């Protein structure tokens, strides 16, 4: 712990959207201080020259990823592409630095599945066993004890939070789950790609990745832990014209007679006391904008035409609860801070 | 037919989004001319004073709905709220004027269902039998002979076009169809309601009407005509921040072994020769923006994880193929014009 | 001061955009607590039933404006239409309650000008003399001593901050100032009007109010205090498709030889130490999005073609620095709190 | 002229936004047919594989720019970066093929100014004298006789149309013109640049290029032709979150007593009979959305506070009247077609 009585935080890859979001939150954190942000391409550049929003609030200069001494940090966030964290994690962990990877390197327990999905060899598979999956509400105890976190993907968070109570209760057909998900454009990251241009992405809705989005395998593997039945998931991601926001419409067929009250009670019990999960009244309509800029995930249950299907509507801010917010929440749990430290800002409305 | 050799067209309720869209197309129509547009509230106002887009292209003044003599028209479009067309249709039909209603008055064969859904008494149930449902691709012959058209709702068009081939072929579980639909904001019409404000509707996705959207009954009734099995439909409409555009993700479980090639062939055969239905290659991704301002509906089939579910992605412009364009298409069929007359504009891109 | 050691805050008219923004900030305020929010129409409704963003963060219920006892508060914000605050201010002030009006009732020193502009009689003109204009950076001392604040309009804030140093220095033609201003749609408030609909306001830019926007007189009166020359201002407001954000491009003709360095030094001196005014390097480009959700106003100077014109570019969040943020800043000054208390959130990026 | 009795059109660089817009219009053109579109990078690709909007309406495949025989065309449009047209124009003109360049190669009469502005050597300065500047309303006679057109930039079109009548009448201070212009994002072209990403460009307004936008010199040179006074122009371009649309607020100081009626009469006379210039009533508010997808430019005059400044508000679709529409209009004039051929589509509303 630093002289200032705050833990020292490093951010690798601070030039993307999750990087600047970590900075936005950590600047307000009572127990943590960002002391270093690194970049391969932008070393020497002030962070506020890249992000005008940081002017007056951040004096950091990007360090060179290759030479920066991250071992002086208490914890390092990797807001990088897949494959970066696993290269650096072993030596950081060996020096007692905790590591939180916002990419996929430590999301999978099954190395082979990771390697197949991301088409790269895992350089430190031995660390996977000691890593924890960073979805606090579903894995708090493991996170408390872990020094290495694989932060969940944005889509998987909504699908796990939404399907878990149903699967654990054993009341739905686990083999035929459907997740029709809609993301804001920031979900794709700060990439100069054609499809993310304003003139291509605005005033448009389209599906993508139906044949094999990388979050499919991550989600199925995690959902499988909630049930002994074989999980089958049809996952359709869509791009929608929002900066931030993710809305998942989850469909499951009930296999046992269940009343709406029982369904509602199931979810309220599952997330009782969770300050970042808002189980709304049965039949409500969560709105992505009501989560904008906050770490809150909202969900509501529906029973269309009083039939045998249950519909779970889930809304979150993909950059916050879907990425950087969840990572800070993990940090808080790992260090024994108030779980909401640095995460207290309310959603921006309108 | 008028002296100008063009049919005379009247538009009742020309102040809404479908009204101005009818004007946009009909101004370019080689065989039709709008001679009258009526409004209850805005009688005496020039149309181009309300719609700046019409300046220089339209000299009409709104007539008073109460006093306008629509019997001089060859055809009258009702771009009005539900319940208006049924009040005027009998006398217009009696005078030989064809009627195309863009609202719901003549969408239902079952009067009771209409009355229950729209909470109003139908004033001319006897006309329903002679009316035709205005989805040309599914009902062309009836439309040819009809003088009274109930134009389909925007959502129902996508669901019928997308599910019909599967239901007719008898290869899916008709009792568990799922339609996860996303509409642009214009789908709600030009109404001064809170939810349609820019600051409420932009940068946001949310579901609505799950417990009973009025298009649910319309769609189920029509889908039922394609199969002897009992149709069950779970329909989840969503609001997305687009001006125009509708994207429907349709899910059905295959009940018979079917290859992807067979699925594709089924759809290509069903819509062979249709100039406003674009059956894209298997596994494609239709985009709503590729239909912006045009009468084209695009669809593509997917078979996620090569499982037993088929996913049909459908995109259209809700104001065009979902409303005004479909209505003009009906008019063309009714009068024996080229079906694409007035509908030849290409989508606006970008 | 309340038992909790926090001042008690009341909000009259908490149902609009500035109302919910006050709540967003004050919920995080270390020295203040909102104890009451009133509404004429929505008394009895929970605030978080109206604003989903407040769920889990606010347990208040709207009190009835007519019967609520606001005298228990230490300070009351009026986030109401013009004319409301002046009706209640006298009795609140008499009871020792401070009043901050976000509308125009106390923005004018000249009652006649107020009455002409807002077409209503001022009910307590005698209070105007003791009120202070709530633009902290230009009026801090008066605000410190005042119990009654007229919070500035959003446009006037940008114009005063941008023109003040030039006028005070006496180096520009005060009679021919031009302000070409662009606002996000929330600037018009949460009103169910046609022009604010998503389908009308998005993908569009237009000017309005050129012949006499109400902020024109307010601004001219304030600018006149910085110079003995007669101020002439051409003010062109524009609507642009943003939720929040205001961008003012201010033009003035230099009447005395001045170098760019001198211009820059003038502004840096004028706003030295101001934590909510970011005087960017000469020739920079402020972006409205870099102020989103924050109380920061950014400005930069330009000297096009090295001619005799100076261009001041000013960006702010119209809901924050342009309204609710400025009001909280006033409260902080009035009560001797840290001026940034409750205003420490960083801009949302992206 | 081709066997089909339509002229043969070639498009070089059909992969950008102006390229696809040319195709959108020319597909509907009664006297022209696109027979060839070329691309350096995408030769062999079907156009409708790149632009889904063209599916069903265009069977062309991109030819290789290097080998395509454009001499079989009657006219070739260059929708390319600056510098491409001048390389090919000489040989095409020699073969009797007309050339319309949408880039800057032939916009300048002064070669030195072109070379300085675009930092490239002009390869065929001898052709400039025989080229015509393609702003039909200001240069129709020259265009009629020309075989080589330099199509104007989008901003310059609005500034020339808006300032011309004032300058020709000699009633304004030509040395201090101000143009505060706002463009939609497509104005930057289909470029994979950071600033054009959805997450960077939406919900934001910012200025750019104040110190020297390339359209500044083009505009000043053209404006200078309307007056013997020395023209001075302060031009501030802004990015606003629209796909299409351009809004220019033009400010000029009156140097001679002029009534509002006289001003209005001046503009009505200047553009009498022009079908693509809509001189709106004095004091009106043109909206960019009322020009969306059309070739119409709308303008209105204002006299703020009845002072000595005149404000001209100009709205157009930057992709149409600001680029591709203007180019087709030129083609129509060059070939003696109806000037509106292929340009008859109405604006998309909403």
């Amino acid at each position: 712990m630093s002289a200032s009585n705050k833990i020292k935080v490093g951010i690798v890859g601070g030039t993307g959207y999750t990087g600047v979001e970590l900075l936005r939150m950590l600047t307000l954190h009572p127990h943590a201080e960002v002391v270093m942000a690194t970049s391969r391409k932008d070393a020497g550049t002030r962070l506020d020259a890249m992000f005008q929003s940081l002017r007056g609030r951040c004096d950091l200069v990007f360090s060179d990823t290759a030479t920066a001494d991250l071992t002086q940090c208490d914890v390092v966030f990797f807001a990088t592409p897949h494959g970066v964290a696993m290269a650096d994690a072993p030596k950081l962990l060996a020096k007692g630095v905790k590591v939180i990877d916002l990419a996929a390197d430590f999301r999978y327990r099954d190395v082979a599945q990771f390697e197949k999905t991301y088409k790269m060899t895992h350089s430190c598979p031995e660390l996977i066993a000691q890593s924890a999956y960073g979805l606090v509400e579903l894995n708090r105890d493991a996170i408390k004890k872990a020094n290495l976190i694989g932060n969940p993907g944005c889509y998987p968070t909504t699908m796990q939070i939404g399907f878990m109570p149903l699967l654990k209760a054993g009341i739905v057909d686990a083999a035929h789950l459907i997740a029709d998900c809609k993301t804001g454009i920031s979900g794709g990251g700060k990439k100069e790609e054609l499809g993310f241009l304003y003139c291509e992405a605005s005033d448009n809705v389209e599906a993508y990745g139906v044949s094999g989005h990388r979050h499919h395998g991550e989600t199925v593997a995690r959902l499988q832990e909630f049930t002994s039945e074989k999980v089958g998931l049809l996952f359709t991601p869509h791009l929608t014209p929002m900066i931030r926001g993710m809305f998942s419409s989850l469909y499951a067929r009930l296999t046992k007679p269940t009343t709406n009250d029982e369904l509602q009670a199931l979810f309220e019990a599952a997330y009782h006391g969770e300050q970042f999960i808002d189980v709304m009244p049965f039949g409500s309509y969560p709105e992505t904008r009501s989560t904008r800029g906050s770490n809150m995930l909202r969900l509501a249950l529906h029973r269309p035409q009083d039939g045998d299907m249950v519909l779970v509507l889930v809304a979150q801010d993909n950059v916050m609860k879907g990425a950087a917010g969840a990572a800070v929440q993990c940090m808080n749990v790992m260090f024994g801070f108030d779980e909401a430290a640095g995460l207290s800002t309310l959603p921006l409305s309108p």
Side-chain angles (χ1 to χ4, degrees), chain A:
Chain A
M1 200 155 298
S2 76
S4 75
N5 229 12
K6 290 187 174 186
I7 61 167
K8 293 183 184 170
V9 177
I11 299 175
V12 178
T15 61
Y17 293 148
T18 49
V20 68
E21 187 73 345
L22 286 169
L23 280 158
R24 184 175 73 93
M25 282 177 287
L26 293 172
T27 300
L28 300 177
H29 202 287
H31 312 304
E33 183 181 1
V34 179
V35 297
M36 188 177 294
T38 75
S39 166
R40 276 173 310 152
K41 288 191 305 186
D42 296 291
T45 302
R46 280 181 64 92
L47 273 69
D48 65 3
M50 177 170 293
F51 295 108
Q52 196 175 98
S53 63
L54 297 177
R55 283 182 58 88
R57 304 302 295 272
C58 175
D59 281 323
L60 290 173
V61 171
F62 282 113
S63 306
D64 189 331
T65 309
T67 59
D69 178 16
L70 290 160
T71 62
Q72 61 177 281
C73 298
D74 298 296
V75 60
V76 172
F77 291 89
F78 284 84
T80 47
H82 312 293
V84 176
M86 65 185 179
D88 290 352
K91 79 166 177 273
L92 288 170
L93 291 167
K95 296 274 189 177
V97 182
K98 296 181 198 292
V99 169
I100 300 175
D101 180 26
L102 284 85
D105 299 11
F106 300 100
R107 287 179 190 164
Y108 290 77
R109 296 199 184 173
D110 179 343
V111 183
Q113 195 188 4
F114 169 85
E115 297 188 333
K116 186 180 159 202
T117 305
Y118 289 90
K119 300 185 191 352
M120 56 177 74
T121 302
H122 203 295
S123 61
C124 52
E126 70 284 1
L127 291 181
I128 292 177
Q130 54 179 276
S131 73
Y133 187 68
L135 188 36
V136 173
E137 290 81 2
L138 303 183
N139 207 28
R140 188 174 280 112
D141 290 340
I143 294 167
K144 258 183 206 158
K145 295 176 234 155
N147 291 318
L148 173 58
I149 301 290
N151 210 48
C154 47
Y155 286 121
T157 293
T158 62
M159 292 188 273
Q160 289 172 75
I161 296 289
F163 281 131
M164 181 276 277
L166 298 171
L167 290 171
K168 277 205 168 166
I171 57 173
V172 296
D173 176 5
H176 288 92
L177 305 173
I178 296 178
D180 191 288
C181 302
K182 301 88 181 168
T183 187
I185 309 300
S186 63
K190 192 172 143 192
K191 299 202 202 89
E192 290 153 25
E193 292 182 6
L194 186 62
F196 299 152
L197 293 181
Y198 182 87
C199 292
E200 308 284 317
S202 65
D203 214 39
N204 184 48
V205 170
E206 63 185 84
Y208 71 103
V210 171
S211 60
H213 191 285
R214 297 188 296 192
H215 288 176
H216 184 267
E218 175 188 345
T219 306
V220 170
R222 294 288 158 185
L223 293 181
Q224 193 62 71
E225 299 184 13
F226 306 131
T227 177
S228 57
E229 280 185 71
K230 172 81 177 161
V231 169
L233 171 70
L234 197 170
F235 165 44
T236 314
H238 298 76
L239 276 179
T240 55
M242 302 187 283
I243 298 178
R244 294 160 175 249
M246 175 164 286
F247 192 94
S248 294
S249 306
L250 310 178
Y251 301 88
R253 197 183 306 189
L254 290 166
T255 51
K256 295 195 179 141
T258 316
T259 67
N260 294 349
D261 285 349
E262 287 166 347
L263 284 171
Q264 182 71 10
L266 198 63
F267 277 73
E268 289 184 357
Y271 299 115
H272 180 72
E274 293 295 349
Q275 55 189 316
F276 296 123
I277 308 282
D278 176 14
V279 179
M280 299 175 70
F282 195 91
S284 296
Y285 292 103
E287 307 163 351
T288 62
R289 67 196 181 99
S290 83
T291 69
R292 189 186 296 142
S294 89
N295 201 46
M296 189 69 89
L297 175 151
R298 300 190 202 280
L299 66 83
L301 301 173
H302 287 257
R303 186 80 170 268
Q305 284 88 43
D306 292 321
D308 64 352
M309 299 290 291
V310 59
L311 167 60
V312 189
L313 302 176
V314 186
Q316 72 173 6
D317 180 328
N318 60 301
V319 188
M320 282 289 286
K321 184 61 180 164
V328 170
Q329 193 181 350
C330 278
M331 181 192 81
N332 289 340
V333 170
M334 294 163 87
F335 284 90
F337 302 146
D338 173 1
E339 200 172 305
L343 298 170
S344 59
T345 55
L346 275 72
L348 207 61
S349 166

